[in-house]
């Protein structure tokens, strides 16, 4: 595999709730949740986010529970869990292989946490490289050569530390080891900096006193995307290209049930009730009750 191809990301994951996940999705991130969390978009009638990236509840793992959520969300990228011993590695490997047989285009990830796991885990299974808050670091139980020639997802950290891992696992070495096939990265720490009034940039955290929390996180996300684009590693295809927009825009940015009042900003649009009709196309309403009333009164034909 060529070096550029080995390093190229297939996805860049971001796990959090609305509104941060919505903004990340629009920027091209593979948004997702941990299995025990939700996007919390139930209160937003015009927000519909796909679960592209499904992480596991690492502090209280339960594979059966995870598989139930896997069936519910149908993610493209699934982090099954961490393998600390032989029995866990074998069970996670068997599950991963079964899922790959059923869903050959999905990314199924298992995190090896002991040396023998690299022999147990099939080469079709993507290895999760712990780069975040894990107490066990990869050099505690493995060498760089264990990861070379394997499919790898870099878990956690910031773009700088993630890129350092990518370089270490792919650059030519004296042993002539094949590069790792870097599948993707993920992180969810940007909002923590936002609560301290800072946004991330490649040169460090910058003050964001002039920005809201949502604007601060979005600025960080934009900087992260620009970082990977600058390295030439940002994915060629973004999830929004495959799933479509999370927020539908009406043909006219007005509320039909308020006498044609304009939709003033993005947040108002997220609270809108959208209908699509043969006669008039996509239309927005502020109230679900008024939407149903207008549909009945005007005898609209829904698409």
């Amino acid at each position: 595999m060529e070096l550029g191809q080995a390093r190229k990301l297939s996805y860049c994951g971001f796990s959090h709730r609305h509104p941060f996940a919505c903004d990340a999705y629009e920027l091209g991130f593979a948004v997702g949740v941990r299995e025990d969390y939700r996007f919390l978009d139930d209160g937003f009638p015009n927000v519909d986010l796909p679960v592209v990236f499904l992480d596991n509840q690492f502090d209280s793992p339960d594979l059966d529970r995870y598989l139930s959520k896997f069936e519910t969300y149908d993610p493209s990228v699934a982090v099954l869990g961490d393998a600390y011993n032989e029995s866990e590695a074998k069970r996670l490997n068997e599950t991963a292989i079964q899922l790959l047989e059923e869903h050959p285009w999905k990314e199924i990830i298992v995190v090896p946490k002991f040396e023998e796991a690299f022999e147990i885990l099939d080469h079709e299974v993507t290895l999760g490289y712990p780069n975040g808050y894990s107490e066990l670091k990869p050099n505690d139980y493995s060498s760089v050569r264990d990861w070379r020639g394997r499919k790898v997802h870099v878990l956690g950290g910031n773009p700088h530390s993630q890129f350092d891992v990518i370089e270490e696992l792919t650059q030519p070495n004296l042993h002539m080891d094949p590069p790792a096939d870097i599948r993707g990265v993920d992180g969810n720490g940007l909002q923590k900096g936002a609560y301290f009034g800072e946004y991330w940039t490649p040169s460090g955290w910058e003050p964001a006193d002039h920005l809201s929390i949502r604007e601060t996180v979005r600025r960080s996300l934009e900087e992260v995307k620009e970082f990977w684009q600058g390295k030439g590693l940002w994915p060629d295809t973004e999830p929004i290209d495959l799933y479509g927009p999370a927020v539908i825009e009406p043909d006219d940015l007005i509320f039909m049930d308020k006498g044609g009042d304009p939709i003033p900003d993005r947040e108002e649009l997220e609270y809108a009730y959208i209908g699509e009709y043969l006669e008039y196309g996509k239309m927005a309403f502020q109230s679900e009750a008024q939407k149903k009333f207008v549909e009945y009164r005007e005898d609209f034909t829904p698409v």
Side-chain angles (χ1 to χ4, degrees):
M1 178 180 292
E2 295 182 359
L3 186 59
Q5 183 183 359
R7 292 181 171 185
K8 185 80 170 182
L9 303 177
S10 296
Y11 54 86
C12 186
F14 177 78
S15 301
H16 213 276
R17 60 176 175 81
H18 177 84
F20 312 129
C22 192
D23 292 340
Y25 178 73
E26 290 191 332
L27 286 168
F29 287 79
V31 296
V33 290
R34 213 172 76 170
E35 53 160 312
D36 55 327
Y37 293 161
R38 300 175 63 187
F39 273 128
L40 303 181
D41 60 6
D42 292 349
F44 300 87
N46 193 28
V47 177
D48 185 15
L49 286 163
V51 178
V52 184
F53 181 84
L54 183 63
D55 205 351
N56 67 88
Q57 189 178 354
F58 61 88
D59 52 353
S60 179
D62 185 321
L63 185 56
D64 292 331
R65 182 186 64 222
Y66 183 92
L67 292 175
S68 175
K69 294 297 181 69
F70 180 92
E71 291 297 322
T72 299
Y73 291 131
D74 190 28
S76 297
V77 183
V79 187
L80 293 188
D82 298 5
Y84 287 93
N85 54 54
E86 182 178 353
S87 62
E88 289 178 344
K90 287 182 176 180
R91 187 184 183 204
L92 287 168
N93 186 65
E94 290 172 0
T95 302
I97 293 302
Q98 181 179 350
L99 290 175
L100 286 169
E101 289 175 351
E102 298 171 357
H103 312 278
W105 303 112
K106 292 186 184 295
E107 204 75 47
I108 307 299
I109 301 166
V110 176
V111 186
K113 288 291 183 71
F114 71 108
E115 186 175 4
E116 290 75 16
F118 294 90
E119 297 296 328
I120 297 172
L121 296 174
D122 192 276
H123 276 248
E124 291 302 308
V125 178
T126 299
L127 305 181
Y129 187 101
N131 187 51
Y133 299 111
S134 174
E135 293 183 1
L136 272 179
K137 304 301 181 183
N139 58 11
D140 292 332
Y141 56 85
S142 67
S143 71
V144 173
R145 302 189 71 183
D146 291 321
W147 303 86
R148 304 278 300 215
R150 303 292 297 262
K151 296 195 294 183
V152 175
H153 171 93
V154 184
L155 290 157
N158 63 70
H160 283 303
S161 66
Q162 291 167 347
F163 184 66
D164 288 343
V165 172
I166 291 172
E167 282 202 307
E168 184 178 38
L169 299 186
T170 60
Q171 64 189 355
N173 61 15
L174 295 176
H175 297 286
M176 301 297 290
D177 293 323
D181 178 6
I182 305 299
R183 306 302 300 155
V185 300
D186 79 278
N188 62 354
L190 301 178
Q191 71 282 355
K192 296 178 182 177
Y195 288 124
F196 287 103
E198 297 179 324
Y199 64 88
W200 186 89
T201 76
S203 58
W205 291 90
E206 296 287 343
D209 297 336
H210 59 298
L211 301 174
S212 69
I213 296 295
R214 180 173 186 173
E215 290 169 337
T216 303
V217 175
R218 185 178 179 90
R219 178 63 182 273
S220 292
L221 290 164
E222 290 170 345
E223 294 281 352
V224 170
K225 181 174 182 177
E226 289 180 12
F227 174 87
W228 291 116
Q229 287 177 324
K231 301 291 185 184
L233 302 184
W234 185 257
D236 291 329
T237 302
E238 300 176 346
I240 194 170
D241 298 327
L242 303 175
Y243 294 93
V247 179
I248 300 172
E249 286 197 9
D251 295 333
D252 293 311
L253 286 172
I254 58 175
F255 288 113
M256 298 305 298
D257 55 336
K258 293 294 181 179
D261 285 352
I263 298 174
D265 53 41
R266 175 53 185 268
E267 293 186 26
E268 284 292 324
L269 182 60
E270 292 168 355
Y271 279 105
Y273 292 85
I274 305 294
E276 186 173 3
Y277 311 99
L278 291 179
E279 300 90 341
Y280 299 103
K282 296 186 183 71
M283 303 170 65
F285 303 84
Q286 281 187 314
S287 162
E288 184 178 20
Q290 282 295 313
K291 174 177 177 288
K292 292 179 178 179
F293 173 73
V294 173
E295 288 173 341
Y296 174 77
R297 184 187 65 191
E298 303 295 336
D299 194 26
F300 287 162
T301 305
V303 174

